[in-house]
Amino acid sequence: MKMVEESENKFDPQQVIDEFELLSKDAGRIQEETLQKILEENGRTEYLQQWGLNGKTDQVSFKNCVPLVTHKDLEPYIHRIVDGDLTPILTRKSITTISLSSGTTQGKPKFVPFNEELMESTMQIFKTSFAFRNREFPVVNGKALQFIYGSKQFKTKGGLAAGTATTNVYRNSQFKKTMKAMQTPCCSPDEVIFGPDFNQSLYCHLLCGLILRNEVQVVSSTFAHSIVHAFRKFEQVWQELVANIRDGVLSSRVTVPSIRSAMSKLLKPDPELADTIYNKCIRLSNWYGLIPELFPNTRYIYGIMTGSMEPYLKKLRHYAGELPLLSADYGSSEGWIGANVNPELPPELVTYAVLPNIGYFEFIPIVENVDGVEATPVGLTEVKLGEEYEIVVTNFAGLYRYRLGDVVKIKGFHNGTPELQFICRRNLLLSINIDKNTEKDLQLAVEAAAQLLLNEKLEVVDFSSNVNTSADPGHYVIFWELNGEASKEILKECCNCLDKSFVDAGYVSSRKVKTIGPLELRIVKRGTFHKILDHFVGLGAAVSQFKTPRCVGTTNLSVLQILTSNVVESYFSTAFS
């Protein structure tokens, strides 16, 4: 795969933009060539040979011969690779690294092949979006306060390096070279990023940012959740951080020797800086505009802010004040899809332009099929404006016609390549009989009900849900963690509002005839969702990739146990009584 070519130390944003313009103008031809290259490279693998392609590399033969698959279909092949089988199973070149998906949906991470081609496409996406971003919001010789955490890589049974997708990227030398070339190296030393204790790393990220407060031009993380989490933590520990800066002595809460050693090189007594930060903090009203006060030269805040991250935008805007929120690019552990080339759009409207040379993409139209027959996938240049599709990916790391499970809407075109808006995960979240409610439906219901808390200056810190089918009839259960005490009257209203906010016809009619029981709102103790985060980190997930599971099913009993054991109050809806 041809990369944008420049020397490691020189980054020319205009050159990157020009190359992207050329790619996007000829998206159809580039897609043909990309598929041809993937099949020429891997056509003799065990997986592709069984489908009778017989050396053919054209799109029609590929679609006619190779079936659409989910991760479950590829698991037997991937597990052989993980266990050390070196024969060409999915790719001609051996896979040496495995990525672990976040695993927060089903409770256990998925194994996904990762190789140098995926690393190159990651860097191409980073460079492309940075070039467009830097045109609108230039950063020059600054630093990035990045709340990133590399979890441990471990060896699989077959000796392959395995870690989360973000860890595999952060540990790659290309990542650091690219960040340096883009003039936004991370404030924190590697010992902090790769520290074994997430809470100690987070504390030191904040401390590094404060020490270098005038150099910080970007505040970022993989997901918006991590930024919000970091500044909620800041509210609790800010006086301790100030004391560390005043005395030049690191807090005793940091016990990891490698982190303490690295921080000692940065931390020197600075009473003047300590006074500045202290005075900034005590003057703030309810922490509004905290980020620009602490880091006055910040140009923007950057991270993935769509999908399951949207519920955190309100709190993030509170901390950001007037600073723009820029949503990061669109991809998954399985690989990248598109770059945000319109950085001026707010996160709720953000779109992603597909890079036609990093994989071969198909789109399954989302239509109501009466006879159970699914619509035929269309190519990248055949999608229609305003329509919704599920994405199918074929990449250089052994995934062929792989259903990603994401639903996107075509919002426009950048030259010949579509601009996608992420809508939701295709798999249903909440369903008991004929009701069908997605993550987006749940999010909208929570937003509507949370409005009732505003007068009491309360907010929903985080939320999840569950379908309780042990009761008859089954009903929806919504778990809320609040930042304070709410009255019983308000919570009863919230419960009714949640129930009425699910407007899916199947749900409403089922509630009316009582084939679905009254919605239940369960309030959990403060810190419950942090326990869920700790649970996933304990399983080896990276905090950088953590997403709160929005619906907890029977495959995720340990998380359900954390939620149910921390319930302090419960309310049942009377909305349909």
Side-chain angles (χ1 to χ4, degrees), residues 427-442:
N427 52 342
L428 293 173
L429 275 183
L430 298 163
S431 183
I432 291 172
N433 47 38
I434 59 167
D435 51 314
K436 294 177 181 177
N437 283 299
T438 65
E439 181 175 333
K440 188 72 179 173
D441 298 320
L442 172 62

Side-chain angles (χ1 to χ4, degrees), residues 15 24 40 226 253 369 376 391 452 455 479 492 513:
Q15 184 185 339
S24 61
E40 281 174 355
S226 294
R253 72 168 64 225
N369 52 52
T376 306
I391 299 188
L452 300 171
N455 289 338
F479 297 93
K492 282 175 186 170
V513 300

Side-chain angles (χ1 to χ4, degrees), residues 99-104 108-112 163-165 333-334 541 545:
S99 285
L100 306 175
S101 71
S102 56
T104 43
K108 59 177 185 177
K110 293 182 298 195
F111 288 154
V112 181
T164 59
S333 300
E334 289 86 355
Q545 280 187 224

Side-chain angles (χ1 to χ4, degrees), residues 182-211:
M182 296 193 302
Q183 301 182 354
T184 47
C186 184
C187 287
S188 306
D190 279 1
E191 290 83 354
V192 171
I193 296 170
F194 296 107
D197 183 293
F198 152 64
N199 288 303
Q200 293 184 41
S201 291
L202 168 51
Y203 184 87
C204 291
H205 276 317
L206 288 166
L207 190 54
C208 291
L210 293 173
I211 293 167

Side-chain angles (χ1 to χ4, degrees), residues 430-431 434-438 441 476 500-510 516:
L430 298 163
S431 183
I434 59 167
D435 51 314
K436 294 177 181 177
N437 283 299
T438 65
D441 298 320
Y476 291 4
K500 287 186 290 191
S501 295
F502 287 105
V503 294
D504 166 66
Y507 182 76
V508 174
S509 61
S510 298
I516 292 179

Side-chain angles (χ1 to χ4, degrees), residues 254-362:
V254 181
T255 57
V256 176
S258 58
I259 300 181
R260 288 196 72 87
S261 172
M263 291 303 295
S264 68
K265 293 171 188 159
L266 289 171
L267 187 60
K268 302 288 180 280
D270 194 338
E272 189 182 342
L273 176 59
D275 286 342
T276 301
I277 295 164
Y278 182 84
N279 291 328
K280 295 273 184 199
C281 288
I282 58 170
R283 286 182 195 139
L284 286 171
S285 170
N286 196 25
W287 301 102
Y288 176 80
L290 172 62
I291 295 173
E293 283 296 323
L294 291 179
F295 313 106
N297 297 312
T298 305
R299 299 304 313 276
Y300 54 83
I301 294 164
Y302 184 67
I304 293 170
M305 300 181 187
T306 50
S308 58
M309 293 300 122
E310 272 191 45
Y312 305 107
L313 290 179
K314 186 181 172 195
K315 190 66 176 176
L316 190 53
R317 285 201 169 97
H318 182 81
Y319 287 136
E322 301 299 310
L323 283 173
L325 304 185
L326 275 58
S327 194
D329 309 301
Y330 176 31
S332 64
S333 300
E334 289 86 355
W336 290 96
I337 293 154
N340 179 1
V341 300
N342 300 305
E344 71 288 349
L345 290 175
E348 292 87 348
L349 300 175
V350 72
T351 58
Y352 306 98
V354 179
L355 272 68
N357 68 329
I358 63 173
Y360 181 72
F361 302 101
E362 297 170 72

